[in-house]
Amino acid sequence: MNLRVLNRLALRLAQAVPVLLVVAVVTFLLMHLLPGDPAVVIAGPEAGAEAIERIRHQLGLDRSLPEQLLLWLASLARGDFGRSLMLNQPVLVALGERLPVTLSLTLVSFAITVPVGVALGVLAARFRNTWLDSAVMFLALVGVSVPSFWIAILSVILFSVILGWLPASGYVPLSDGLLPWLLALLQPAAMLALFQIGFLARMARSATLDVLDQDYIRTARAKGVSEWSTIAKHAFRNTLIPVVTATGIILSLLMGGSVVIEQVFALPGVGRLIVQAILTRDYPLVQGTLLALAFLFVAINLLVDVIYTWVDPRVRYG
Amino acid sequence: MTNRRQTLLCGTAIIAAALTFAAGEANAQKRGGNLTYANVSAVGTMDPMVANAVVDLETIHHVYEGLVAMGEDYSATPMLASKVDISPDGRVFTFSLRKGVKFSNGKEMTATDVLASFERYKKVSPNAPALADVAAMETPDPYTFIIKLNKPNSLFVEVMKTPTYSFSITPAELKDQPARELEIIGTGPYQVAEYRKDSHILLKRNEGYTPDMSAKGPDGYAGKKTAYLDTIRYNSVPEANTRIAALQSGGADFIATIPGDIAKRLKGRTDITVMSVIPFCQATFMQHAKNPPLSTNRFLRQAIASLVDAEEMMEAAGQVWDRNPSLMFKPSAYYSDVGAPFYDLHSVDKAKALLKQGNYAGEKVVLETNNNYAYMRDSSQVLVEQMKKAGINVELKMVDWTTNAGDMARGTGGWNVTITGLCSGPLLGPQQWRLSLAYSQNPDDPVVTEGYAKMFATTDFAERKRIWQGIEKYFIEEGYMMKVADIADLRGMNDKFVGIKPYYMQRFWDVWAK
């Protein structure tokens, strides 16, 4: 990677600052525009008005909205993401504790999505207009259409209750062993992958079909190169260009999809953290977590751009 | 009268539970075993003085104890106190402490710890106003704690039994720790081994626990408690289907809050029992005493109250329920039928007549409810339809529970009618009811302020009950409180453990593995 590329990356990072600022302000406003009061959640429904007002004062919720926003932005500038009202711990610590769960879920899901999605797409393209193509496209359609919480509950009933193969809920840290970790994640990761596999398979099929119509593929076939070599050596790498773009999006979507899946499978990850934080109006936690996730998405996009230059040498920065 | 759905379900549960208990009692009590409890959410705080959610409290009361606690019949029962002496004028309360009681850190509990705990309570608890009339707190010796009040309060000991915002005793060294940041050290039969916020909490047996040997056995949250289980793990599993799957597949031994409609999925499993805890809460509508048009038109309030249809509302939500006109549950000594003439009238004709009497001119009435609790949402929708039939201009405002609870507590949001589930007040007595009465936004109503002052002043139970009945009748007759029904909480358990019994908040002491 030369200096020019590094400069370009630094510029992209700098461009992310206003994006993050907008995310910060919008998140803050959205949360505070929501009705509901964290002081009531903390004090409890049986607390008197006086106790609620005391907690509001302690939390600084009795200040004006612009004042609260400025205070929050000032603390962000100091690298302080605030303190969770409900968990009573710094937002970054709360996030740091739960991120391994979500990253584990995302990575296992990604590891299922990419090979299965690409393989199904390439197969469907190679055998286009056959029963295999129709079957793959039907599965892809089902994958993108079925609500994830519904299919996840059916999966739990089948694989956990009836067959007893996989645990119904909960997370086992990697430090407790690779196999228990994988067993705990396999079902939620597969359910999370289902939607993305459908999306990727359709994308890979379309990209492969485009490439298979190119002159150089015809030339390879005319030279007598075997069909699988033609696909594996000549077509596949060119198919990867749109697929790499899609995988970047998929990685982000997998993290987003974890919100529902973590709730169903009781995984203590970032998705469930956000849901709980929204339900309890834990303003600093929602704001801080969404900001951190926005930064992560920016980083993923940047990574995809870098991978792009490796996959397709014609793509250059600058 | 008990409804059919409940009869069927409870019949099965009671028979199965009876068989379980009968078979279980034959098994010898033994130490050991690990129980996993899948609950509806994670433990939010282990600070007993600020905790108010049932999920938190169920865990907290395994770790902490107070001077008194609610007994099996929910009356105030000595726990860390061996006895309580009340002066004839109802102003001085002398607590004799049990000797040799140790905290989980090994230190003996004395009056110094009790005093420090009450001082911390005054600083951090949302329920601190309960101690507003305390004139002095004294510790004449290490095993005596005295509270002196400015004015008589014959229900003061009853106030102290509350499991919500518990008056738990913690070591004196912790008295300056802020709310929700309390180091977890109690005198209970279990102690915390691992606490992962919003995921799980693991309790282990407190090997140094000092049981109350003067009691014959466990008595509600008091009595002689024995920790047989090595560990109890509370997992947060918010999705009901997953909780049931966890119970069915062995991932959990006990699960909380099963929706009535999906409890039938457990039918046919001889190794699983569905336990119905009823009464658990009561579904009650409130009418806002400060927002017009209801605040200015009692006939309109009464018209809306006459539209409540218990059966249709509860069946719409698939709820296991019981008819009860009282604001108190049946086990309560304060239970009476003063609300009966106004209960479950479901009469559109009566409502129309009352509207005419009140010269109702089509002013808008806002009914606020939430989508988180099926019985609140469905009862509200039924009431809205009834109100439309009677000719009331009603607007249904659907929000989430956090918004609904906040609006209810503070009287904000522009609502006229709203609904909630009231649990501890109807169970524990008038002293616990006081804060909930304020939901109708009239805590300063002389009926409340003067009524409670008189109730606290008298030591005669019959007189206290008469005063409470007056308050109860006033709130119902005026339409401020519209009782719908007592509702159940369904819980599920497998057959690996013995001694699990229905109770308002679940207990796992005196429970052992087969």
Side-chain angles (χ1 to χ4, degrees), chain A residues 35 37 41-47 51 53-54 86-88 97-98 156 160-161 168 264 266 268 272-273 279 281, chain B residues 44 52 125-126 165 179-181 196-199 236 238-239 241-242 245 248-249 400 402-403 406 410 424 432 435 439:
Chain A
D37 188 346
V41 179
I42 291 172
E46 291 181 7
E53 287 311 317
R54 196 175 64 223
M86 303 298 157
L87 300 174
N88 222 6
E97 283 178 2
R98 284 136 191 99
V156 166
S160 305
V161 178
V264 173
R272 205 168 77 160
L273 182 74
L279 289 176
R281 306 293 189 273
Chain B
N52 56 76
S125 178
Y165 310 121
R180 303 168 75 87
E181 291 182 35
R196 174 82 186 270
K197 284 182 175 174
D198 89 344
S199 169
S236 164
E239 170 55 43
N241 286 289
T242 314
Q248 290 173 307
S249 62
D400 72 330
T402 306
T403 305
R410 305 174 71 200
S424 59
Q432 198 83 16
L435 290 168
Y439 287 154

Side-chain angles (χ1 to χ4, degrees), chain A residues 34-38 40-56 58 83 85-89 97-98 101 153 156-157 160-161 164 166-169 171 262-269 272-273 276 278-281, chain B residues 41-42 44-45 50 52 122-129 162 164-165 179-181 196-200 233 236-239 241-242 244-246 248-249 265 269 372 399-403 405-410 423-425 432 435-436 439:
Chain A
L34 270 181
D37 188 346
V40 175
V41 179
I42 291 172
E46 291 181 7
E50 202 178 302
I52 293 169
E53 287 311 317
R54 196 175 64 223
I55 291 172
R56 283 180 63 76
Q58 283 167 359
R83 195 173 176 82
L85 307 179
M86 303 298 157
L87 300 174
N88 222 6
Q89 61 183 157
E97 283 178 2
R98 284 136 191 99
V101 180
I153 288 168
V156 166
I157 292 171
S160 305
V161 178
L166 295 164
S169 59
Y171 175 71
E262 286 177 7
Q263 196 75 1
V264 173
F265 288 96
L267 298 173
R272 205 168 77 160
L273 182 74
Q276 285 307 312
I278 292 172
L279 289 176
T280 54
R281 306 293 189 273
Chain B
S41 64
T45 179
V50 300
N52 56 76
K122 282 164 79 174
K123 278 192 285 185
V124 303
S125 178
N127 192 37
T162 178
T164 315
Y165 310 121
R180 303 168 75 87
E181 291 182 35
R196 174 82 186 270
K197 284 182 175 174
D198 89 344
S199 169
H200 66 270
R233 184 184 166 104
S236 164
V237 186
E239 170 55 43
N241 286 289
T242 314
I244 290 178
Q248 290 173 307
S249 62
R265 203 183 294 162
R269 286 283 299 253
N372 300 71
V399 294
D400 72 330
W401 169 243
T402 306
T403 305
D407 286 345
M408 194 164 51
R410 305 174 71 200
C423 309
S424 59
Q432 198 83 16
L435 290 168
S436 303
Y439 287 154

